[in-house]
Amino acid sequence: MDYERAHALNRAIRTIGMRHRALAGSFLQRVGLTVGQESLIMDLAEHGPRTQSQLAAAAGCEPPTITSAVRRLESLGLVARAPSELDRRATVVELTESGRGLLPDLSTVWIELAEASVAGLARTSADDLVRALADLAESLSAAADRTGPGTAPAQRGTAHSDPRDPRGHRDGE
């Protein structure tokens, strides 16, 4: 892939992520949540009580990030935390009655967000987009598995030949 195509692809993916996150934030404000909080609530609704470690693994983030998010949701009365009966070092998180009561509104917001996200599509159906994005997500997961944490392709010796490449690599370097 040449630099121009790579730049266009990476920029489009980044732009989609940023714009969707911003739109999601504005929709989620209506139910008193911020981006990220909704995924914890939906995860707990789908899987039931979970440890903070399980929530972190499911969200793909570090445990301290989940701890902060859970504390905020607890302060809103949407989740409750308790020591695990199986492992006192672990904390189990579950939805409260208020958290479960938020689910219908959260589902409505999630549907409206999806509809707003695809409302302007001219050449791609929502179903085709879902398939393409699922394919992209799998590709990104596989790439992350291949590179491992903190190992970008350039760190593994990949050479680049485009003079506009911000790292300034040339073939053979």
Side-chain angles (χ1 to χ4, degrees), residues 36 39-40 43 50 52-63 65-66 69:
S39 63
L40 291 177
D43 185 271
R50 300 185 87 180
Q52 291 187 170
S53 295
Q54 290 170 320
L55 289 170
C61 63
E62 296 297 319
T65 303
I66 290 298

Side-chain angles (χ1 to χ4, degrees), residues 79-132:
V79 301
R81 294 184 300 161
S84 168
E85 293 180 9
L86 302 174
D87 181 355
R88 290 289 181 193
R89 297 170 297 173
T91 300
V92 175
V93 181
E94 66 181 311
L95 287 175
T96 62
E97 193 63 37
S98 294
R100 283 187 291 281
L102 186 63
L103 292 172
D105 290 339
L106 185 54
S107 293
T108 298
V109 164
W110 215 234
I111 291 167
E112 291 173 0
L113 173 61
E115 290 172 344
S117 296
V118 299
L121 292 180
R123 294 176 300 273
T124 307
S125 74
D127 290 338
D128 287 344
L129 182 61
V130 168
R131 283 189 288 279

Side-chain angles (χ1 to χ4, degrees), residues 130-146:
V130 168
R131 283 189 288 279
L133 292 175
D135 197 26
L136 178 60
E138 286 180 31
S139 179
L140 289 169
S141 292
D145 290 346
R146 285 190 306 272

